[in-house]
Amino acid sequence: MKNMLIATALAAASFLALPVAHADNSSGFFINGNVGQSTLDRHGYDDNDTGFGVNAGYRWALAPNFLLGVEGGYADLGSFDATSANGALGRAELKGWNVGANAHLNVTDHWYLSGRAGWFRGDLRGGFFSGTTPVHVDDTSNKWYAGVGFGYDFSNNVSVGLNYDYYKADRTGLSLDPNLVSVSAELRF
């Protein structure tokens, strides 16, 4: 997974030398996708997996370099094995739908900072110990997600970025709160 992230970052960096048009940050629709490494280190789980997400939404230009918008999407944060001492817990999984707000701030003509937060309806599976008895959970959670990122606008319609997202999910005593470090691409129209 690390090799894929390094290769993607190098490919994105090679585009920095290309001439590009200034991103005008006008209001409009967008769609983005991200892929990266999700990590869970809680309640007997200490593992990494590949996670991905896709979002679509609309942003309004509130200033020449600042946009604020709404988004909806889907995230699959992967599967996580229990530590060897907690093998009775089985494998944990988390995926679900999100709806929230996002922001895009250009700090230069091409470089931007981003933020997002909202409601996450996660489908979680896994286990925890109640005393010495393993308890297995297969349920839905209604919690939240939040993330930050930075990136480069290649043109008015295309950008790439690096993001950190945190997803909160717990139900019936099981708390799965993975984070996702990912590379993203966005199309605006």
Side-chain angles (χ1 to χ4, degrees), residues 3 16 115 136 151 157 163-164 180:
N3 291 338
L16 296 179
H136 295 280
N157 304 100
N163 310 288
Y164 172 84
L180 175 65

Side-chain angles (χ1 to χ4, degrees), residues 97-161:
W97 298 94
N98 61 274
V99 63
N102 63 70
H104 184 102
L105 172 69
N106 275 80
V107 292
T108 69
D109 282 350
H110 302 290
W111 291 98
Y112 70 85
L113 299 174
S114 64
R116 60 194 295 257
W119 174 67
F120 177 63
R121 180 172 176 84
D123 295 323
L124 67 153
R125 291 185 181 96
F128 65 97
F129 283 103
S130 177
T132 58
T133 306
V135 177
H136 295 280
V137 176
D138 185 355
D139 210 341
T140 57
S141 168
N142 291 297
K143 292 297 181 180
W144 54 272
Y145 71 96
V148 295
F150 71 93
Y152 190 83
D153 290 323
F154 288 106
S155 71
N156 294 336
N157 304 100
V158 178
S159 65
V160 296

